[in-house]
Amino acid sequence: MAQRADPVKRHLGLTAAVFTVAVVVLAAVGIATRIEPASGLGPGDWAAVRFTVHQALWSAGISVLLAIPVARALARRQFFGRGALVTVLGAPFILPVVVAVMGLLAVFGRNGWANVALDFFGLPPVSIYGFHGVVLAHVFFNLPLATRLLLQGWQSVPAERFRLAAQVRLTPWAMFRAVEWPLIRQIVPGVAALIFVICLTSFAVALTLGGGPRATTIELAIYQAFRFDFDLGRAALLSLTQLVLAGGAALLALWIIPMISVGGGQDRPLARWDGRTVSQRGLDVLFVGLAACFLLLPLFAVVLRGLIGMPLVPQVVWQATGASFIVAVISVLVLCLLALPMAGWIASKRSGGVEAVGLLGLSASPLMIGTGWFILINPVMNPADLALPVTALINALMALPFCLRILVPHLRDTMQDFGRLSAALGLRGWPLWRWVVLPRLAPQIGFAAGLTGALSMGDLGVIALFADADRATLPLQMYRLMGAYQMEAAAGAALILLVSALGIFWTCDAMGRRYASN
């Protein structure tokens, strides 16, 4: 059997899985030591729980509803720039959160382009802060993800179905009901559940656009109890609440999520004979155009304002950039040490039960793990001394679920194709990886490493708990500039962060593809 040619020794995958579980369990133990059973959640804490669930439901629902017509239009249209747009949709997590927030403020902020246009027409301005601002930012991040997943589902439909529907002269509405609606019903619940979990554990969006009694998430409440009050007991209780809420939602998402690879899928449209009327073409152009403007205008604003603010960037920003690069490199190395053995173990089994271990990154939020480890480290040494390595480790764990979904299908296919021949030749361990696995898995490894590095480069989560005045990553330093109303310098830092994150992703992805072609 092909499964007998294990790509890694079983104990390596077990060790990686045990280490992943241990990091989360020890954080939970640290939290448990600080929980006071008699103290319970106060009215403000329950308000944060309700707001967290409320905004996540709205964010997931709006993202999916808007993604359906956009994905449908991309699935049946070919136009100039389509490949570039699909590429942007294929990597929705690369953009740092604080950079996106800066772009959204430039477009929808108090003096943003949208309010300038509204004032020109004599209409009242809109505010980006509060509930609708948090939902707007989450839709900005998750609309590309939902569109990409739905687009991959559309591209999985055999072309013969559309050809048969055209031969029997089905109307566009009948085509939608007979072919596309069953696909939507199958994929949409899993996509919505995944986005719901992501929005439950969002921190930087709530930190910059939320706040106040009516717009505080659980993550933000943990941060406030930790940094402002240093109430470790309340922070621990909130962390436990977040773990139960996000963990239950993650299990639900795992149960109904569609089996679609985050990094896979074909980009070419299928041959379609429906939707050739003027009205259908016009609607497709409208949906794609509005989605492209919504996604690209904030990025354009970041680049434009960043170029203007670059001369005002202080020296401390460049020091923080170096620290962020260190965190990103460590995160990539940790990710490879964990994901490759676990992917090899999963691929050697008929069932992927151990893959659920990697999903701890979805169920346990970064602030929850960071709070637990702060409690464990604080009696022994200054937690700020371990700010960068702890941040890098937790960032790797957060990226692990997505990277396993990228690596496992391709590794399993490789072992099915070459497992028997490798076993006959006696290839095991490192020789098997060197001659069989790595040349065929290099593009996926490069994509996963680039995704992890970009996520780590732009993360504003754990570092906010551990960092002091002398230790800060680029996103944290950028947030500090925004808090000090140095918006021009913050815009310059945002451009540096955007270029750095995209540069890390492009470098890792290109290296993986180049290794595979040699």
Side-chain angles (χ1 to χ4, degrees):
M1 296 294 292
Q3 284 80 5
R4 293 180 180 177
D6 295 339
V8 293
K9 294 184 182 298
R10 181 168 299 183
H11 71 271
L12 294 179
L14 178 61
T15 301
V18 169
F19 177 80
T20 302
V21 174
V23 171
V24 179
V25 170
L26 288 176
V29 170
I31 290 172
T33 60
R34 288 284 184 165
I35 293 178
E36 300 176 3
S39 61
L41 297 177
D45 299 328
W46 284 114
V49 173
R50 289 192 295 270
F51 179 81
T52 300
V53 176
H54 190 213
Q55 61 84 20
L57 287 172
W58 275 94
S59 299
I62 294 176
S63 298
V64 172
L65 288 178
L66 294 179
I68 291 175
V70 177
R72 186 172 186 246
L74 289 173
R76 63 180 183 177
R77 301 295 176 195
Q78 183 71 297
F79 52 87
F80 177 77
R82 180 186 179 279
L85 181 59
V86 172
T87 299
V88 172
L89 297 177
F93 296 128
I94 296 176
L95 186 65
V97 176
V98 287
V99 171
V101 169
M102 178 67 72
L104 290 173
L105 287 173
V107 177
F108 300 101
R110 182 175 304 171
N111 298 316
W113 300 344
N115 279 328
V116 170
L118 291 175
D119 181 68
F120 177 80
F121 291 103
L123 299 175
V126 296
S127 175
I128 195 176
Y129 297 100
F131 170 78
H132 45 284
V134 172
V135 173
L136 176 68
H138 283 157
V139 172
F140 175 82
F141 279 107
N142 295 301
L143 175 61
L145 174 61
T147 302
R148 182 61 174 173
L149 291 176
L150 290 170
L151 178 59
Q152 291 179 20
W154 248 289
Q155 291 169 341
S156 67
V157 178
E160 290 76 13
R161 295 187 182 180
F162 295 108
R163 184 179 297 112
L164 178 61
Q167 290 174 348
V168 298
R169 299 183 181 277
L170 289 183
T171 64
W173 173 244
M175 169 83 76
F176 178 80
R177 291 182 57 188
V179 179
E180 296 175 307
W181 176 243
L183 175 72
I184 293 175
R185 287 191 304 174
Q186 179 184 0
I187 297 179
V188 162
V191 175
L194 176 62
I195 295 176
F196 177 75
V197 174
I198 294 173
C199 294
L200 282 180
T201 57
S202 174
F203 169 68
V205 169
L207 180 64
T208 52
L209 298 179
R214 293 186 177 181
T216 298
T217 62
I218 302 177
E219 297 271 278
L220 186 54
I222 295 172
Y223 173 76
Q224 292 171 346
F226 194 99
R227 296 295 293 182
F228 298 156
D229 304 327
F230 200 68
D231 188 349
L232 295 182
R234 178 167 171 260
L237 188 59
L238 287 168
S239 299
L240 180 62
T241 304
Q242 175 76 331
L243 176 62
V244 173
L245 180 63
L251 290 177
L252 178 63
L254 177 63
W255 180 48
I256 62 176
I257 192 172
M259 294 302 297
I260 301 175
S261 172
V262 175
Q266 299 175 350
D267 293 338
R268 64 181 185 274
L270 296 171
R272 299 286 294 269
W273 293 268
D274 60 313
R276 295 188 176 184
T277 63
V278 175
S279 61
Q280 291 286 333
R281 290 177 181 270
L283 286 176
D284 286 348
V285 170
L286 177 64
F287 288 131
V288 173
L290 289 177
C293 290
F294 178 63
L295 297 175
L296 297 180
L297 276 181
L299 295 181
F300 176 74
V302 168
V303 174
L304 181 63
R305 296 187 62 182
L307 291 174
I308 298 174
M310 281 295 293
L312 302 177
V313 171
Q315 180 64 31
V316 68
V317 169
W318 298 106
Q319 297 173 355
T321 303
S324 291
F325 270 112
I326 294 174
V327 171
V329 171
I330 297 175
S331 295
V332 170
L333 294 177
V334 173
L335 185 278
C336 291
L337 291 175
L338 294 177
L340 293 179
M342 291 178 65
W345 189 17
I346 297 168
S348 65
K349 292 179 173 294
R350 294 184 182 274
S351 61
V354 73
E355 189 174 359
V357 175
L359 292 174
L360 286 173
L362 285 178
S363 60
S365 70
L367 284 189
M368 172 261 164
I369 301 177
T371 300
W373 276 98
F374 186 96
I375 294 172
L376 294 174
I377 296 172
N378 192 38
V380 180
M381 60 184 299
N382 182 12
D385 295 337
L386 297 177
L388 297 186
V390 170
T391 300
L393 171 62
I394 297 177
N395 286 338
L397 293 182
M398 296 302 106
L400 183 59
F402 305 103
C403 294
L404 287 178
R405 286 298 177 102
I406 295 170
L407 295 174
V408 169
H410 296 277
L411 183 53
R412 184 174 283 125
D413 292 341
T414 298
M415 297 314 301
Q416 288 177 352
D417 294 338
F418 299 95
R420 292 183 180 180
L421 179 59
S422 300
L425 296 175
L427 289 178
R428 301 180 64 86
W430 171 242
L432 178 63
W433 274 92
R434 179 181 180 184
W435 299 110
V436 179
V437 177
L438 288 181
R440 290 161 183 82
L441 206 65
Q444 287 72 38
I445 295 176
F447 183 87
L451 182 65
T452 303
L455 283 172
S456 185
M457 189 77 192
D459 178 67
L460 177 61
V462 181
I463 192 66
L465 298 180
F466 280 76
D468 55 15
D470 300 325
R471 299 173 181 86
T473 58
L474 183 53
L476 181 58
Q477 192 60 50
M478 177 183 162
Y479 174 72
R480 290 175 177 175
L481 290 174
M482 294 172 64
Y485 297 100
Q486 300 181 35
M487 301 305 293
E488 293 80 6
L495 180 58
I496 297 173
L497 181 55
L498 176 62
V499 173
S500 300
L502 294 178
I504 288 177
F505 176 79
W506 181 86
T507 300
C508 294
D509 188 47
M511 290 176 61
R513 297 182 184 276
R514 183 177 304 174
Y515 182 88
S517 62
N518 292 335

